[in-house]
Amino acid sequence: MAAPDPHQAADPAAVKRHPALFRAIRKRQNPRLRRTDITVTDDASVKRAVKAASLGNAMEWFDFGIYSYLAVTIGHVFFPSGNDTTQLLSSFATFAVAFLVRPLGGMFFGPMGDKIGRKKVLALTMILMAISTFAIGLIPSHETIGIGAAALLIFFRMLQGFSTGGEYGGASTFIAEYAPDKRRGFFGSFLEFGTLAGYVGAAGLVTALYALLDTAQMESWGWRIPFLVAGPLGLVGLYLRLKLDETPAFQKLEGGTAHASGAADGVETTAKGDLAKIFRQYWPTLILCICLVGAYNITDYMLLSYMPTYLSDELGYSETHGLLILLAVMVFLMAVISQVGKLSDRFGRKPLLMTGMLGFLLLALPAFLLIRVDGILPITIGMLMLGLSLVCMLGTMSAALPALFPTNVRYGSLSVGYNLSASLFGGTTPLVITALISWTGSNLMPAYYAMAAALVGVIAVACMKETAQQPLIGSPPSVETDEEAAELVQAQAPDPKF
C-alpha cells in the first residue's frame, strides 16, 4: 500500500516550521528514478516470451473449447436418454463444474508461481490439461457403464478446471512484466489472440467432424477424436512452455542475473502465497476485478462457447451451420485484435473497455433479433455486432487486469480475482441461458443476460483508473530504448535556478 503523505500525517504547523525536513521525508519516500532503475526491454526477448505464452494458451483453450462445441453430442452420450433440454442442461452443468474448481486452482498455482517459478507452473498446467482432456476421450459411454460414465466425465472436467485456474493469471502476468509500458496493450492482446486461435482450432475440427460423420457415428466414436488429439498437442504445448525464460524478477529471486530489469527488483518478493493479505488489503480491487471479468466472461462465453448450441438447439440450424459462422467471426476477430491492443495503448484502456461494454448493452438485443432471422447474412451481421463489441474487451483486458494490482501481489491477486469471477459467471453462462430459455420460453434471453452483464461492466470500467502507458504498480518504468530511459531521468531533473 502507498506510504502516507507526510503533509497529511503531520501537523500542518510543523510542516510550515520545518519545510526542509518534510522535503527530505518526501524525497526518501518517493526517490527520483536512477537510470539503473528503469527497465530497457530487449525486443527479441519480449517477442519470444509473448509468442511462447500465447501459443501455450492456444493449446490450453483448444482443449477447453472442444467440450463446449460438442455439448449436444456429449449430452446424448453421457446422460440417460429422455428430454433433449434435460440432456443439454446436464451437459452444460458438467461444463460449469470445471469452473467451480477454478478458484482453487488459482489459489494453488498462484502462490506456487511465486515459489518455484512461472515457467514450471505454466508447464504443469499444460500437462494437467492435456492429460484430463485426453482421458475424457477414453471414457466409456453411459450405455456401457451407466452412471460411472458421468462421474468420470465430471472428475476429469474438474481436473481441467483446476489446471485452467493457473493459466490466465500466470500468462498475463508473464507478458505484462516483460512488455514496455507504452506497448503493453499491443503485446497483451496476443494472449487473447492465442485464446481465439485455440477456439478456432477446436471449432474447425468439430465442424469437420460434423460435416463428415452422421449423428450415429458422432455419438459412437467421432466425438472422441478432438479429445484424443489433446495428447500430442499437449506435448507441443509442454515443449513451448519449457522453452520460456523466467521473468527477470524470478531470476533475481533465485540469485540469477537478468539483463533487463532493474524494474523487476521488487517483483514477487513478498507475496509467497499470502492469500489472507490479498483479501484483507486489496479487497476493493478484487471486487473491481471480479466485476470486470464477470461482465467480460459472460459475453465471451455466450458468443464463443454457447452460440453454436443456441443456433442448433434453439433455432434449428445444423451444428455445422452454426460452427462455420462462428468460425468466420473468430477468424475476423483474430485479424483485428492486435490493432485493438494498439488503440488501447494510444487512447487508453478505459475508452476501449467502455466501448465494448456499451456495445453489448446497446447492440445485444438488435443483434439477437437479426440472428433469429432466417439466412446466413443477418446471422453473420448479428454475430459480427457482438464480435466487434467483444474484441474491444478481448484486446484490452489482458493488459488492464494485471495493472490493477501491485507487483508483489499481482500473480496471486489476479489468479484469485479472475477465477472467482470465471467460476461464478463465466462457466455458468451456457447453463444459465439454457435454463432461462427453458423457463421463459423466450430465445432472446441470451441478449437480456448479456445486457445485464454489460451494465455491471459499464459501472466497473467507470470506477477503474487509467493505466495505459504507465508503469505497473510497484515497478519503475519499462521502456524500449536507452534514449527513452535517459529522457525519463532527465525529466525529473530540477530546473536550473539563476
Side-chain angles (χ1 to χ4, degrees), residues 50-74:
V50 170
K51 179 181 177 181
S54 301
L55 286 173
N57 198 53
M59 300 294 181
E60 190 101 356
W61 288 103
F62 170 85
D63 292 355
F64 212 75
I66 52 180
Y67 185 94
S68 60
Y69 297 136
L70 287 166
V72 175
T73 299
I74 287 173

Side-chain angles (χ1 to χ4, degrees), residues 30-357:
N30 300 289
R32 286 186 185 138
L33 283 172
R34 299 163 297 174
R35 170 61 189 82
T36 53
D37 292 327
I38 300 172
T39 301
V40 178
T41 61
D42 175 60
D43 191 55
S45 296
V46 174
K47 289 179 179 178
R48 186 166 59 250
V50 170
K51 179 181 177 181
S54 301
L55 286 173
N57 198 53
M59 300 294 181
E60 190 101 356
W61 288 103
F62 170 85
D63 292 355
F64 212 75
I66 52 180
Y67 185 94
S68 60
Y69 297 136
L70 287 166
V72 175
T73 299
I74 287 173
H76 295 159
V77 172
F78 284 98
F79 300 100
S81 58
N83 184 277
D84 284 346
T85 300
T86 302
Q87 287 184 325
L88 186 60
L89 282 170
S90 299
S91 179
F92 278 141
T94 309
F95 179 80
V97 157
F99 285 81
L100 297 179
V101 297
R102 279 184 65 164
L104 299 179
M107 293 177 189
F108 178 78
F109 288 114
M112 184 184 290
D114 296 330
K115 294 176 182 177
I116 68 171
R118 285 108 165 97
K119 180 175 77 170
K120 293 175 183 176
V121 170
L122 290 174
L124 181 57
T125 60
M126 188 76 258
I127 293 170
L128 288 177
M129 177 60 83
I131 290 174
S132 55
T133 308
F134 185 80
I136 289 175
L138 300 176
I139 300 174
S141 67
H142 179 273
E143 188 177 315
T144 304
I145 62 170
I147 197 171
L152 286 171
L153 178 64
I154 290 170
F155 172 78
F156 288 117
R157 283 291 297 160
M158 291 177 72
L159 187 59
Q160 277 188 323
F162 188 74
S163 70
T164 307
E167 173 62 26
Y168 187 90
S172 58
T173 295
F174 195 91
I175 292 176
E177 290 178 357
Y178 261 102
D181 297 333
K182 291 185 178 180
R183 301 185 71 196
R184 187 170 293 117
F186 172 70
F187 286 119
S189 68
F190 284 96
L191 186 65
E192 296 295 356
F193 179 92
T195 300
L196 287 170
Y199 275 128
V200 165
L205 181 54
V206 172
T207 300
L209 289 171
Y210 275 129
L212 295 172
L213 304 177
D214 59 31
T215 301
Q217 290 172 318
M218 278 297 294
E219 293 184 7
S220 175
W221 54 269
W223 68 270
R224 299 182 185 275
I225 293 174
F227 291 99
L228 296 178
V229 167
L233 283 182
L235 294 177
V236 174
L238 179 61
Y239 172 78
L240 292 169
R241 291 283 165 92
L242 291 175
K243 292 287 287 183
L244 284 170
D245 294 324
E246 287 289 3
T247 63
F250 193 80
Q251 291 184 42
K252 290 193 173 186
L253 286 180
E254 289 187 311
T257 58
H259 169 70
S261 46
D265 284 342
V267 176
E268 310 288 357
T269 57
T270 60
K272 295 300 181 188
D274 190 356
L275 294 174
K277 176 182 178 182
I278 291 171
F279 284 106
R280 185 174 61 250
Q281 296 187 11
Y282 299 99
W283 62 266
T285 313
L286 273 177
I287 292 174
L288 178 62
C289 178
I290 288 170
C291 291
L292 286 168
V293 174
Y296 156 61
N297 268 341
I298 285 174
T299 53
D300 186 352
Y301 284 100
M302 182 199 71
L303 181 61
L304 301 185
S305 294
Y306 174 73
M307 191 58 74
T309 301
Y310 177 78
L311 291 174
S312 62
D313 205 59
E314 303 298 336
L315 301 185
Y317 293 99
S318 69
E319 286 87 351
T320 305
H321 189 135
L323 279 170
L324 280 173
I325 295 174
L326 180 61
L327 199 57
V329 170
M330 288 194 295
V331 170
F332 173 74
L333 298 187
M334 288 174 66
V336 302
I337 192 168
S338 63
Q339 299 305 311
V340 173
K342 284 183 179 180
L343 288 174
S344 79
D345 284 329
R346 181 176 179 183
F347 298 108
R349 316 288 185 236
K350 292 184 66 170
L352 269 295
L353 290 175
M354 188 63 79
T355 299
M357 299 296 182

